[in-house]
Amino acid sequence: MPAVLVLVLVLVAPVAEAATRMGIPGLPQRFRESNIAGDVQIYEVGPRDGLQSEREQVPTSVKVELIQRLAVAGLRAIEATSFVSPRWVPQLGDAEEVISALDMSGPVRYPVLVPNLKGLERAMDVGVREIAVFASATESFARNNLNTTVDGALEMFEPVIATAREHGILVRGYISMCFGDPWEGAVQLRQVVYVACRLVESGCTSLSLGDTIGTGTPGHVLALLDALKSGGVGADVLALHFHDTYGQALANVYAALGAGVREFDSSAGGLGGCPYAKSATGNLATEDLVWMLNGLGIETGVDLDLLIGTSVWMAERLHRPSPSRVVNALAGSECDV
Ligand code: HMG
Ligand code: MG
């Protein structure tokens, strides 16, 4: 039997066994809404956004197993790690080892964060095919997260994006603090539109709008999408990245779905936070997102039971329960770690 198949069986068997105890047959019931057409792409950020703030070093083998389990659960875009300064984010200092352990030639995409040419060189050396640069809508976060200004970051990314594109590497552009900033408070729509246009001009192939501290609400999401459309940035190139600090993430996704967005970032079990934005908690949990999309009859390709089994397994490794409502509803007692 090929080694890869053995690995998949070893990973799936115990989780599948647990999964039979988790799902509730026939639920959620499906009601498709006529104004929401097409499938949705879930962009899983748990291994990167979810783990980057962990104080205790997560072993490389656990990171790799997490990513492989997520792939087996059907996720097709898994942000695996960051090629940033290990002085700034020590938890992800093993980026080369993580990427080298993955099958980079299969159907699963493994994008990584890259801030500068040094990061790009490291990523290319281990065969990365997709990267993300990460800009900020606010000066405070640009300073705290990248040690530069909003424009300084955009300038730093220009050669990164150009070099990546020359090598056929896709480039996502994140914009953080789109819906509020812990130091500056309200963020004007025009600040986000400015950064979005600069990233598109520089050659980003898609953009992800970050609600880094989770303060956004559905009306704000719609207003921002409108402002971006007026600025020439349509929903077809956009993803939304909600942290769930104030419990607004799913409502925000629902609003964005109605406005045509079809890509959403989330992290398995709601892992996460940002080391340079104190009030940031975990991302929207992938399980909570999948449950809602399942109810709307929208295809994601994700096996919810396998995913929950993975989050329960990860919660045990991190010694704390998952904050996901769906994980707790369907595997509650198994989360008491
Ligand atoms: P700096 O200190 O101004 O830069 O950091 P530097 O050029 O002086 O470099 C400092 C040291 O890091 C030097 O080493 C460099 O060689 C090294 P030394 O000479 O002191 O030994 N270095 C690197 N090493 C490895 N790989 C690299 C690299 N670059 C420099 N790529 C820098 C500037 C951009 C490097 C730093 O600020 C940084 O790495 N920041 C990353 C912070 C981060 O990863 N934050 C979390 C991700 S963003 C996020 O979570 C938000 C998001 O989820 C969306 C949302 O929620 O809003 C995406
Ligand atoms: Mg984030």
Side-chain angles (χ1 to χ4, degrees), residues 163-179:
T163 312
R165 295 294 305 276
E166 274 161 33
H167 288 84
I169 293 173
L170 295 176
V171 186
R172 171 185 247 221
Y174 277 105
I175 308 173
S176 284
M177 302 299 171
C178 291
F179 299 92

Side-chain angles (χ1 to χ4, degrees), residues 45 48-49 52 174 176 210-212 241 243 273-274 281 283:
V45 296
R48 192 280 303 171
D49 210 348
Q52 68 186 5
Y174 277 105
S176 284
D211 187 4
T212 321
H241 177 106
H243 287 259
C274 175
T281 59
N283 295 84

